[in-house]
Amino acid sequence: MVEIGREQARNLQLSAQGLLHPAARAATAASLRACIRRMALLQIDTIHVVARSPYLVLFSRLGAYPTHWLERALERGEVFETWAHEACFSPTQDLALHRSYNRGARRHLGLASGRDGQVRQAEQLRELLRHIDANGPVKSSDFERPAGQRGGGWWDWKDEKVWLEALFANGDLMVSRRDNFHRVYDLAQRVCPQIAGMELPDAAQVHAKFTERAVAALGVTQARWVHDYFRTKPRCKDADLHGLVDSGRVQQVRVEGWSAPGYVHRSHQRALRLAQRGQLEATHTTVLSPFDPLVWDRERASKMFDFDYRIECYTPQAKRVFGYFVLPVLHRGRLLARLDAKAHREQAVFEVKALYLEPGVRADALLVQALANAIQQCATWHATALVRITWTSPSKLAAALRKALRATSQPIAKT
């Protein structure tokens, strides 16, 4: 059986996720679509103290690119929106898999709330469908809430927003495009005409496909981490992967320090051979979204990268340890810092509110320059090229970062 070290296992996962090296050439719309296909899922979140999560996930892999490319891919039907482990963009080639799983097995809150609405408000939903059929796509903002009236459903939404989400959860509506990141809904058959004759795979086929997709997206994984990628049930066990191993689609490997076997998809055979020889080298330094596939499974991030990461934006302020929307920092195969940042767009300032190095990490000159370059590249992409360093841990890092930022030929904001 192939054996690889822990560092090479990390690098194999980074290779599968497109995070091993900086992008070799300028981003294109085609490379953006390929990036989403590689990950299989691109999680959606609306928080925008820096770029919204899906844009930032793509930046970490592609470098600077125009964010409207993602909206254009959605409008052209190259990707679609779905409930997966959370709300996500997914390649349209996986549409039948998601529609089948969401109708049958998935137990996400958004889907459950939608099903409840379909029972309680069936007539209103039918009327809304007739309106969209006759008048075309709609946004929630197209419907005004009567003065003084509170919302009628989830999260204090207005009634129409609840109904739109219910119809989206049911599959009657799809998101045809986004306007300023707000969903625009239309009839599913108008968004994806192929739905009319689409044959949905059965539950066993969907489970098998999602399991294999997850193993491929993760590069190397333990069985217990596989189910989280698409949030399939139940948790995957080693026995569940025996069929893929026997067919040759997945290879079982030993990873240094793991008591459980690892699994590598056959599409990563070249990278696995390099890892076996200790030749997979990580060279990328970048900031990651809190919802990046690399870190969204807390247990996996801890085991793979010794990085205990919790998203604190949904934690009461008094209980936060690092900040509201803290970005993990990847440097040459390690997650070794956390960046609490804010893009002040009107002032064109990118504020580093706090930067924390992980325990035991020494800020030598190479690391400091790599961090400065990554921060500056991210800031420039945000159109907030003026970087302000407010606080760092250790405290001496702030002065070193400011000096390194000056070497990037960009002006530094005064503290």
Side-chain angles (χ1 to χ4, degrees), residues 134-148:
N135 298 285
V138 299
K139 303 190 296 286
S140 170
S141 59
D142 293 337
F143 304 94
E144 294 184 3
R145 176 183 292 178

Side-chain angles (χ1 to χ4, degrees), residues 80-86 95-108 111-112 115 168-171 206 210 230:
F80 72 103
E81 292 194 27
T82 183
W83 287 111
H85 74 285
E86 295 294 348
L95 177 61
L97 293 173
H98 285 281
R99 285 181 76 83
S100 176
Y101 196 67
N102 288 351
R103 286 185 177 184
R106 192 176 297 285
R107 294 293 178 264
H108 191 279
L111 291 168
R115 294 183 186 112
F168 172 73
N170 187 46
V206 172
F210 278 162
F230 291 95

Side-chain angles (χ1 to χ4, degrees), residues 193-231:
Q194 64 267 39
I195 283 177
M198 182 178 289
E199 183 176 342
L200 298 184
D202 63 30
Q205 291 172 314
V206 172
H207 191 80
K209 286 288 188 182
F210 278 162
T211 298
E212 185 175 349
R213 292 267 204 288
V215 174
L218 291 170
V220 60
T221 180
Q222 294 184 15
R224 63 181 288 106
W225 302 332
V226 170
H227 82 289
D228 179 78
Y229 206 82
F230 291 95
R231 296 279 165 86

Side-chain angles (χ1 to χ4, degrees), residues 47 82 125 140 163 166 173 221 236 249 270 321 347 377 415:
I47 297 172
T82 183
L125 299 187
S140 170
W163 302 337
L173 297 182
T221 180
C236 189
R249 301 186 69 80
R270 181 179 179 276
V321 177
Q347 295 79 33
Q377 289 164 9
T415 57

Side-chain angles (χ1 to χ4, degrees), residues 148-164:
Q149 178 181 314
R150 292 179 58 80
W154 320 327
W155 299 287
D156 194 30
W157 285 345
K158 70 182 83 172
D159 288 338
E160 290 82 2
K161 175 63 173 175
V162 177
W163 302 337
L164 287 168

